[in-house]
Amino acid sequence: AVVSTQSEELIIFNEIHIKLNAELGNLNDEITAKSLEIEFHKSETMKMRESLEHQYEESYKKVTEMQDMNHEIMLLQEENFRLLESMRNQETANLKTDLKQDYEDAKVCLADDGNKSLEKETAVFS
């Protein structure tokens, strides 16, 4: 009776051992599947990170280019303003020169008219 009890216990222990080994195998399979899933997500995360870094670099380059362009535009606007001022000053100088010339021409015309009148009066007295 003792031998049969020990045999029954061994059979039960064997069954428990087989079940535990099967569960351990299932757990190992789950761990392997989860590890693969984690590796996949790590890989995807790295790809997304690289993509975001690339996008950031591109955006930074564009912002820098735009800042440079804005600076160039400001310099061109300043140069434009200087050129307009120079043109206005030149126009003013030209107008003054024209007015002086017109004034001189008018004086010459008046002097000529005065001389002709004087010649006529002198001719009448002669």
Side-chain angles (χ1 to χ4, degrees):
V2 174
V3 174
S4 87
T5 307
Q6 285 180 342
S7 291
E8 288 175 14
E9 286 178 356
L10 274 175
I11 292 170
I12 291 172
F13 282 134
N14 246 354
E15 288 174 6
I16 292 173
H17 182 70
I18 290 169
K19 285 182 182 177
L20 287 175
N21 273 337
E23 273 190 55
L24 186 60
N26 289 339
L27 288 174
N28 279 334
D29 290 345
E30 280 185 49
I31 288 172
T32 301
K34 292 292 180 188
S35 292
L36 289 173
E37 199 176 320
I38 288 170
E39 287 304 313
F40 172 77
H41 287 298
K42 277 184 185 178
S43 172
E44 288 298 304
T45 301
M46 286 302 293
K47 287 178 189 173
M48 289 172 64
R49 183 178 185 172
E50 288 171 3
S51 174
L52 286 172
E53 286 175 356
H54 178 72
Q55 288 175 7
Y56 173 79
E57 288 170 7
E58 289 299 311
S59 296
Y60 185 79
K61 283 180 191 176
K62 287 179 183 175
V63 166
T64 303
E65 287 173 9
M66 289 174 70
Q67 287 173 336
D68 291 345
M69 286 173 60
N70 282 343
H71 183 70
E72 285 182 43
I73 288 170
M74 285 175 54
L75 292 176
L76 289 171
Q77 285 174 335
E78 289 173 8
E79 181 64 20
N80 221 7
F81 180 74
R82 281 193 293 275
L83 288 171
L84 284 171
E85 280 298 306
S86 174
M87 286 171 57
R88 284 188 192 122
N89 291 339
Q90 188 62 45
E91 284 177 13
T92 303
N94 288 346
L95 283 173
K96 285 181 182 177
T97 303
D98 289 349
L99 284 173
K100 281 182 186 176
Q101 188 60 49
D102 289 348
Y103 177 73
E104 292 300 318
D105 290 348
K107 276 177 37 179
V108 168
C109 283
L110 287 174
D112 285 348
D113 287 349
N115 286 340
K116 286 180 184 172
S117 297
L118 197 60
E119 286 174 12
K120 284 183 185 175
E121 288 176 16
T122 311
V124 171
F125 288 118
S126 311

